[in-house]
Amino acid sequence: MSGANSSSLTPGFFILNGVPGLEAAHIWISLPFCFMYIIAVVGNCGLIYLISHEEALHRPMYYFLALLSFTDVTLCTTTVPNMLCIFWFDLKEIDFNACLVQMFFVHMLTGMETGVLMLMALDCYVAICYPLHYATILTNRVIVKAGLATFLRSVMLIMPFTFLTKHLPYCRGNFIPHTYCDHMSVAKLSCGNYKANAIYGLLAALLIGGFDMFCISVSYTMILRTVVSLSSADARHKAFSTCTSHICAIVITYVPALFTIFTHRFGGQNIPHHVHIIIANLYLMLPPTLNPIVYGVKTKQIQEGVMKLFFREEDVLMK
């Protein structure tokens, strides 16, 4: 086996094939992903800067948004530069340990993203259902603890992926038909029994994504009950508009994820492999690209913050 250690059956490197079957179109495929990556980096870094410098945005909702932006920009940075190297320069080799590190960060950060969306749903729930106690419930200490707990949960649940995958024997070649190191794409190269990887992967998905979706569903059920009970139409509209951006972020994140999961589990044989690869990349790229746009368009406070920051910089330049 190319690049393999014969005694341990551990490859020295893997070959990432990009999008199998569409090698001739790699340059054209790379252009939208490159454009999306630029928007994601500029948009999310801009949001983080705005939230950190604008006092009016020093509120729990925007702290969670800054955490989401940081998670998003880190997530796409773990995959897109490597993907573009494959598409543009045919640099397909990735060291075995580097592949495991990329795999860990991809899955840990996707878990972190759904956790932050859950925290934002709870923030909406407290803001609408307990507006008078909002400031006392969501203190800075609570926000830090919630963010840290979400991070540690993702790390602890994803870390076993790395150990399980690292200790598998590999003798089915070292070609990965993907643009990045995905857990099961790597595990399927093993000639050993990788059933534990598949079972644990499903369990981790349920403990992270399933739990978060359940909490989000319960939060919005309670929010809907509260909004419907409001007597004023203006109050109902104002309460619902508070959550509009977050609902869009949930749709952007979960629809590609659910599509990827269900097609792999139930319809994989009917869908070309290159479609799976492109959808998997969109699953990682759409939320980082669209979330800053959605929050910028839908959130009045962010629009006002951008205008204040713009005119402040303009005044400094004029002086």
Side-chain angles (χ1 to χ4, degrees), residues 24-237:
H26 272 179
I27 293 294
W28 297 107
I29 296 171
S30 71
L31 296 180
F33 283 110
C34 180
F35 183 62
M36 290 169 72
Y37 180 61
I38 293 170
I39 293 175
V41 171
V42 172
N44 286 290
C45 290
L47 265 181
I48 294 169
Y49 178 83
L50 181 66
I51 291 168
S52 64
H53 283 75
E54 188 59 49
E55 276 193 39
L57 300 179
H58 290 178
R59 295 171 51 196
M61 170 187 171
Y62 301 109
Y63 292 147
F64 288 135
L65 178 57
L67 181 58
L68 181 67
S69 293
F70 177 77
T71 303
D72 279 344
V73 76
T74 309
L75 174 60
C76 59
T77 300
T78 61
T79 57
V80 177
N82 189 57
M83 181 202 311
L84 294 179
C85 285
I86 295 169
F87 289 160
W88 292 347
F89 310 113
D90 206 35
L91 298 176
K92 297 182 177 182
E93 285 189 14
I94 183 169
D95 180 77
F96 177 73
N97 290 320
C99 183
L100 295 182
V101 170
Q102 185 187 55
M103 181 186 73
F104 168 76
F105 276 104
V106 166
H107 292 288
M108 187 274 287
L109 290 166
T110 51
M112 183 75 183
E113 184 174 47
T114 88
V116 176
L117 287 174
M118 176 196 64
L119 295 179
M120 295 175 80
L122 296 175
D123 172 77
C124 289
Y125 166 69
V126 175
I128 293 173
C129 299
Y130 300 98
L132 299 180
H133 302 286
Y134 181 77
T136 56
I137 294 174
L138 289 176
T139 62
N140 288 342
R141 178 175 292 186
V142 170
I143 293 167
V144 170
K145 286 182 178 180
L148 184 60
T150 303
F151 170 74
L152 290 176
R153 181 194 67 165
S154 293
V155 170
M156 297 303 291
L157 286 174
I158 299 303
M159 186 68 75
F161 281 171
T162 309
F163 295 111
L164 287 170
T165 308
K166 185 177 179 65
H167 292 95
L168 286 172
Y170 293 91
C171 54
R172 292 183 178 172
N174 58 352
F175 291 86
I176 301 175
H178 215 308
T179 57
Y180 60 88
C181 292
D182 173 72
H183 173 229
M184 287 310 298
S185 296
V186 175
K188 285 178 180 178
L189 294 179
S190 170
C191 52
N193 186 354
Y194 58 84
K195 186 178 291 186
N197 293 66
I199 293 171
Y200 186 79
L202 185 59
L203 179 64
L206 290 173
L207 289 174
I208 296 176
F211 176 78
D212 293 343
M213 289 181 69
F214 172 76
C215 290
I216 290 170
S217 301
V218 171
S219 296
Y220 273 99
T221 300
M222 302 301 291
I223 287 169
L224 190 60
R225 286 179 58 184
T226 302
V227 170
V228 169
S229 67
L230 294 174
S231 56
S232 168
D234 288 338
R236 287 196 295 270
H237 176 75

Side-chain angles (χ1 to χ4, degrees), residues 14-31:
F14 287 118
I15 304 293
L16 291 167
N17 274 355
V19 185
L22 296 179
E23 287 83 359
H26 272 179
I27 293 294
W28 297 107
I29 296 171
S30 71
L31 296 180

